[in-house]
Each structure stands twice: as C-alpha cells, then as structure tokens.
Amino acid sequence: MELIQQLVNGISLGSIYALIALGYTMVYGIVKLINFAHGDVFMVGAFIGFYSITIFHLGFFPSLLISMAVCALFGVIIERIAYKPLRNATRIAALITAIGVSLFIEYGTIYLRGAQPEAYPDNLVPLKDINIFGVTISGQSILILGTSIVLMIILQFIVHKTKIGKAMRAVSHDMDAARLMGINVNNTISATFAIGSALAGAAGVIFGTYYTKIDPLMGIIPGLKAFVAAVLGGIGIIPGAMTGGLVLGVIESLVSAAGYSLWRDGVAFIVLILILIFRPAGLFGKNIKEKV
C-alpha cells in the first residue's frame, strides 16, 4: 500500500516536471536552444498565482489562467528581446544569454519584492481525500494530476490539429523550407515560447498549491530537473518530455520512500549522467531525427 501511495505522489510531482519540461523541449525542437531562463518563468508564474489569490482573492483556476496568460506574454518578451537578435549566432552565445536572462529574472525579482519567501494559503482547493483499497490519495494530488493531464491534452491538440501547431512542426523540421512555404517563422517561434511559458506558469501555480512555499530562487532546481526530464524522454520530443517528467517524479518519490530523501535531488542528476552515457538520444530517441 505504501508503494502505491508513493507512486501517486511521484506521478503528481512528475506532472509538474513534465509541464516545465514541455517548454524546454518545444523551444529546443524549433530553435535548438536550451532556454535556462525557463525555470524562472515557472517562478514568476508561482508569484503571479500567489498575488492573484492573496490580493485579488481569486480562486485556483482563475489564478491559474491569469498566471498562464502573463507568463505567455513574458515568454514572448524574453524571446523578442534576448533571443531573436541571436537567431543566427553561435549556440554558445545563445546559451550564455539564456543563463544571463535567468540571473536577471531571479535577482530582478529579489530587487522588486525582496528575497523573503511567501506561502500559498492552506486548503486553497478544499477537495476531500479519497481512500481506495486502503490507500489515501489527497485531493490536491488528484487536482494536480487532473489539471496537468488536461493541459497536456490541450497541448497535443494544438500541436497536431491547429494551424499554428502545423507551422511549429514545419519550422521544427526545416526552418528555411517553412519560410519558403510562406510560414512566418518569427511569429511561430514566439508562439512556441508563449505556449511553453504558459505551461511553466501553470506549473508554478500548481507547485505553490502543492508545496505551499515559494521564493525568488525556487525555479533553479525544478528547472534543472525539468531539463533532466526533457533529456530523459528525448529533447525536442513532446511525448518524451511528458514521459520523462513522470518517470523522474516517480523515481524521486521511491528514493524518498526508501529512506534516502536527502539524495532525491542528486538522483535526478545521476539519471541525467546515465542517460547521457547509455542512451544520449533519450527514451524516445529512435524518432529524434524525425521530430527535431
């Protein structure tokens, strides 16, 4: 029974990693950029949700939508100001810029509001716990998992059934050919940043609801772990990011259940090292040439 409980906890945590990892993998799939500022967009989303709840007294879902909208706009601004001028620069220049943007967001937030942490209100979503065959599943876990699944389904629909999704796949496959076919590559890249940032914002609100405490540097570790999840699943492959996030969350929960909770952060990076050594293309790597 304890094992089932830990699996539920791991899937809830993994769904948060998956939402963040989707932004990494979408951006990499199109512009071959590891956007290390993505974890800080997640942090901004958590604070937007917090202020929506505490100052404007909104509920969970309105705060979630506001956070997604603000983070989508924030992601587009970052792309237009920091990354678009480096579109034809070397990858190392774009990578260093991404690290600089990350630090700017973190310490800009500290400058504007201070470094003190905040706490989401308790019982934000008063859902009852469910007991199934002796296993107690918290209402928050169900909410997190359900919200994450819905967002992932919406993303799959956008990517595979909408005009902008087709444009994103075309640009990912061959940017120059897509441009010759009349696709506005700049707008498509901006849309990719907007969608990925919106998912990170949603993950921030979900994280704050689940773990309560948030602070300006909270995006560093979850952002790195989401990057590990994206690499685990196959960087640039959307189903891989989802799977990688869930697998990483379950692994962390099982490590904690085994009594090694101090090692849970280290295990994520051990997984990264092993993947890079034995299967650098990731779990879904057999399709990497087709998808990226």
Side-chain angles (χ1 to χ4, degrees):
M1 296 301 180
E2 180 68 22
L3 176 62
I4 297 175
Q5 181 70 64
Q6 291 301 325
L7 287 175
V8 172
N9 294 339
I11 291 171
S12 299
L13 175 62
S15 64
I16 296 174
Y17 291 154
L19 287 176
I20 308 173
L22 285 167
Y24 276 115
T25 209
M26 289 172 66
V27 169
Y28 183 85
I30 288 185
V31 292
K32 305 299 183 288
L33 167 70
I34 301 296
N35 179 20
F36 279 118
H38 193 62
D40 299 295
V41 176
F42 158 80
M43 175 271 293
V44 169
F47 275 100
I48 295 295
F50 171 78
Y51 290 126
S52 297
I53 291 165
T54 56
I55 295 177
F56 298 105
H57 306 291
L58 299 176
F60 172 79
F61 288 109
S63 300
L64 183 80
L65 294 175
I66 289 173
S67 179
M68 291 177 70
V70 172
C71 286
L73 179 61
F74 190 43
V76 172
I77 292 171
I78 291 172
E79 189 274 329
R80 288 296 172 100
I81 293 175
Y83 300 142
K84 185 179 177 181
L86 300 173
R87 193 69 50 79
N88 298 317
T90 60
R91 290 194 189 183
I92 191 67
L95 181 64
I96 292 171
T97 301
I99 295 172
V101 172
S102 173
L103 293 171
F104 178 80
I105 295 172
E106 291 168 8
Y107 290 97
T109 303
I110 290 174
Y111 176 78
L112 291 173
R113 62 161 305 279
Q116 71 275 12
E118 300 284 3
Y120 267 63
D122 292 330
N123 299 319
L124 179 60
V125 183
L127 294 176
K128 293 183 179 179
D129 295 346
I130 297 176
N131 192 297
I132 301 175
F133 303 116
V135 178
T136 301
I137 302 174
S138 71
Q140 281 190 334
S141 295
I142 296 170
L143 176 72
I144 288 171
L145 185 58
T147 304
S148 301
I149 289 173
V150 168
L151 290 173
M152 291 177 196
I153 291 172
I154 292 173
L155 174 63
Q156 287 290 85
F157 176 81
I158 291 173
V159 170
H160 293 284
K161 301 295 183 181
T162 66
K163 185 176 180 180
I164 189 64
K166 292 177 182 177
M168 288 164 57
R169 286 185 286 134
V171 173
S172 173
H173 186 73
D174 191 323
M175 187 179 296
D176 292 330
R179 188 179 286 111
L180 291 172
M181 294 297 292
I183 293 173
N184 190 320
V185 172
N186 288 329
N187 287 350
T188 302
I189 293 173
S190 294
T192 303
F193 271 85
I195 294 170
S197 298
L199 293 174
V205 177
I206 292 171
F207 183 94
T209 304
Y210 193 62
Y211 289 100
T212 306
K213 180 184 173 183
I214 61 172
D215 64 82
L217 301 180
M218 63 177 280
I220 297 174
I221 295 299
L224 288 174
K225 288 182 179 178
F227 172 67
V228 173
V231 174
L232 174 61
I235 190 78
I237 303 170
I238 289 176
M242 298 178 187
T243 304
L246 294 173
V247 169
L248 188 61
V250 169
I251 290 173
E252 283 194 18
S253 291
L254 293 178
V255 168
S256 297
Y260 299 100
S261 57
L262 293 177
W263 285 88
R264 60 181 294 170
D265 289 340
V267 165
F269 300 103
I270 291 172
V271 169
L272 175 62
I273 292 169
L274 293 175
I275 284 293
L276 291 175
I277 291 173
F278 296 107
R279 193 174 175 81
L283 298 176
F284 287 65
K286 62 183 180 180
N287 295 323
I288 198 164
K289 290 183 180 179
E290 176 188 342
K291 295 290 183 180
V292 175

